[in-house]
């Protein structure tokens, strides 16, 4: 069993505090050093537009300043880390943006705006991206509206939930990993009876996306650690035999600078990609440290 050594941990810490974006540095301090969530909110607010949505490269692969459902769901993911209640006002503004941009005939949202094509971005971020995979981001957004149903009631929510269930049963090809991640979050918020009703479908979806043999993986793809960051995950039992090797590989792939880096590239905008790559390194390093901490894979002081 490989552990992240004291030296490796210190290098990761130094990377987070000196080279990561201010947002990820604030998140690191909050999660690992008892920092304040108000600092996280201050940094996150720099990416929020007057319409309540988020842009400005919060999602590093999409650089447009305009709000997008993609960046806004990323903001909501971070706001769920709030253990203080300080972020409620931001949550209300954020969900207000999603309520106003809801497309009734789609039972959902466009993942990115048309304006995104005027800014540097990864090659896959074209307007209409993921149109054939409704669940990304729509199942995810439904999950956030379920999270905050009491704080921000959303009138069409029950209709969106019904559509999400029907789409999964009747139209989803059960192959696209980002859509899988959205549906896993969606399922975790459903009442038990509805969650059980789609359990078998999601098991098939997981089997289609996550290979049990690391040797079969090439480049960017889903792993067991893509869907869990602790042994408390509902998916831990399914992948329990694989997790030790995944954690060993995570320890081994830390870079010399203390960071973990993306295993993808943009295939365009070569002059901007290095900045986005560096921003991703902060996100991935924070995720790696969180996972290794939760699985007790960081060497402790004797």
């Amino acid at each position: 069993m490989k552990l992240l050594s004291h030296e490796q941990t210190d290098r990761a810490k130094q990377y987070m505090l000196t080279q990561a974006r201010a947002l990820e540095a604030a998140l690191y301090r909050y999660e690992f050093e008892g920092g304040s969530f108000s600092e996280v909110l201050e940094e996150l607010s720099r990416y929020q537009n007057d319409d309540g949505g988020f842009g400005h490269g919060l999602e590093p692969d999409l650089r447009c300043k305009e709000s997008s459902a993609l960046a806004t769901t990323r903001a909501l993911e971070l706001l769920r880390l709030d253990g203080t209640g300080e972020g409620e006002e931001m949550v209300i503004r954020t969900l207000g943006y999603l309520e106003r941009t809801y497309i009734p005939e789609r039972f959902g949202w466009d993942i990115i705006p048309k304006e995104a094509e005027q800014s540097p971005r990864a090659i896959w971020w074209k307007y209409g991206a993921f149109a054939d995979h409704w669940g990304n981001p729509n199942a995810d957004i439904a999950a956030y509206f379920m999270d905050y149903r009491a704080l921000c009631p959303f009138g069409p929510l029950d209709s969106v939930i019904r559509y999400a269930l029907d789409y999964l049963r009747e139209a989803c090809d059960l192959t696209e990993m980002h859509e899988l991640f959205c549906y896993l979050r969606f399922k975790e918020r459903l009442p038990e009876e509805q969650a059980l009703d789609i359990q078998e479908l999601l098991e098939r979806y997981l089997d289609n996306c996550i290979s049990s043999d690391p040797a079969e993986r090439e480049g960017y793809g889903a792993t067991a650690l893509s869907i869990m960051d602790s042994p408390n995950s509902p998916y831990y039992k399914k992948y329990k035999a694989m997790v030790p090797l995944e954690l060993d590989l995570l320890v081994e792939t830390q870079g010399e600078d203390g960071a973990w880096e993306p295993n993808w590239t943009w295939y365009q905008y070569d002059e901007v990609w290095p900045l986005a790559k560096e921003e991703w390194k902060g996100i991935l390093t924070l995720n790696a440290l969180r996972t290794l901490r939760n699985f007790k894979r960081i060497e402790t002081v004797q």
Side-chain angles (χ1 to χ4, degrees):
M1 184 176 77
K2 297 182 183 295
L3 299 177
L4 199 70
S5 70
H6 296 311
E7 180 190 2
Q8 289 175 291
T9 303
D10 187 61
R11 279 192 280 127
K13 173 182 176 177
Q14 292 307 311
Y15 184 88
M16 291 304 305
L17 295 179
T18 63
Q19 296 185 65
R21 291 191 301 192
L23 173 60
E24 279 71 43
L27 284 161
Y28 175 83
R29 285 189 287 270
Y30 174 66
E31 294 191 58
F32 289 86
E33 298 190 338
S36 70
F37 199 74
S38 60
E39 183 187 356
V40 174
L41 293 173
E42 180 180 352
E43 295 301 334
L44 186 57
S45 71
R46 303 183 195 281
Y47 298 89
Q48 189 169 30
N49 288 313
D50 291 341
D51 62 8
F54 286 77
H56 303 280
L58 177 61
E59 155 66 54
D61 286 343
L62 188 73
R63 312 303 297 183
C64 66
K65 66 181 185 300
E66 292 84 6
S67 296
S68 66
L70 175 68
T72 301
T73 52
R74 171 63 179 157
L76 287 166
E77 180 185 352
L78 299 181
L79 286 165
R80 286 194 78 236
L81 299 172
D82 180 13
T84 67
E86 296 175 69
E88 275 195 2
E89 183 179 341
M90 185 175 284
V91 168
I92 292 170
R93 288 189 62 212
T94 303
L95 292 177
Y97 162 77
L98 292 171
E99 185 170 12
R100 289 187 296 275
T101 53
Y102 175 68
I103 306 169
E105 61 271 21
R106 181 169 166 74
F107 290 95
W109 294 261
D110 282 335
I111 192 167
I112 63 172
K114 293 178 181 178
E115 294 86 347
E117 295 196 352
Q118 308 307 313
S119 299
R121 66 202 184 282
I123 198 168
W124 49 87
W125 285 126
K126 299 178 180 178
Y127 181 68
F130 292 97
D132 295 333
H133 293 94
W134 177 92
N136 182 19
N138 297 303
D140 210 10
I141 294 174
Y144 290 119
F145 273 114
M146 283 190 275
D147 274 340
Y148 299 107
R149 193 191 286 258
L151 183 65
C152 302
F154 177 52
L157 179 57
D158 289 337
S159 296
V160 175
I161 292 171
R162 285 194 297 272
Y163 187 90
L165 294 170
D166 290 343
Y167 167 85
L168 183 66
R169 296 187 192 103
E170 300 168 11
C172 183
D173 61 14
L174 306 180
T175 62
E176 207 288 313
M177 71 172 185
H178 297 93
E179 188 174 53
L180 168 65
F181 301 156
C182 292
Y183 263 103
L184 293 178
R185 290 188 284 268
F186 172 77
K187 181 241 181 185
E188 289 169 15
R189 273 71 156 200
L190 287 175
E192 183 177 3
E193 184 176 346
Q194 286 181 313
L196 288 172
D197 189 50
I198 60 172
Q199 179 66 36
E200 184 178 346
L201 275 172
L202 288 180
E203 291 285 341
R204 284 166 48 196
Y205 207 159
L206 286 162
D207 291 340
N208 289 342
C209 291
I210 299 178
S211 170
S212 59
D213 181 2
E216 294 178 1
R217 299 179 198 148
E218 291 185 12
Y220 188 56
T223 70
L225 294 183
S226 301
I227 59 168
M228 70 178 86
D229 66 5
S230 88
N232 297 323
S233 164
Y235 312 106
Y236 176 66
K237 184 177 180 181
K238 179 178 177 68
Y239 295 106
K240 185 177 180 179
M242 294 169 55
V243 166
L245 176 58
E246 299 283 0
L247 292 167
D248 285 349
L249 290 171
L250 188 59
V251 171
E252 291 171 3
T253 52
Q254 184 190 29
E256 288 298 317
D257 60 359
W260 283 259
E261 63 178 51
N263 59 357
W264 67 91
T265 185
W266 278 8
Y267 303 105
Q268 61 181 11
Y269 294 103
D270 292 344
E271 72 283 4
V272 183
W273 163 243
L275 172 61
K277 179 180 178 181
E278 203 64 27
E279 292 175 350
W280 271 117
K281 286 170 66 176
I283 295 170
L284 296 173
T285 299
L286 180 60
N287 290 344
L289 289 171
R290 184 187 297 127
T291 298
L292 293 170
R293 175 197 63 192
N294 292 347
F295 279 100
K296 302 188 185 307
R297 286 297 196 100
I298 296 179
E299 191 175 18
T300 57
V301 178
Q302 298 296 323

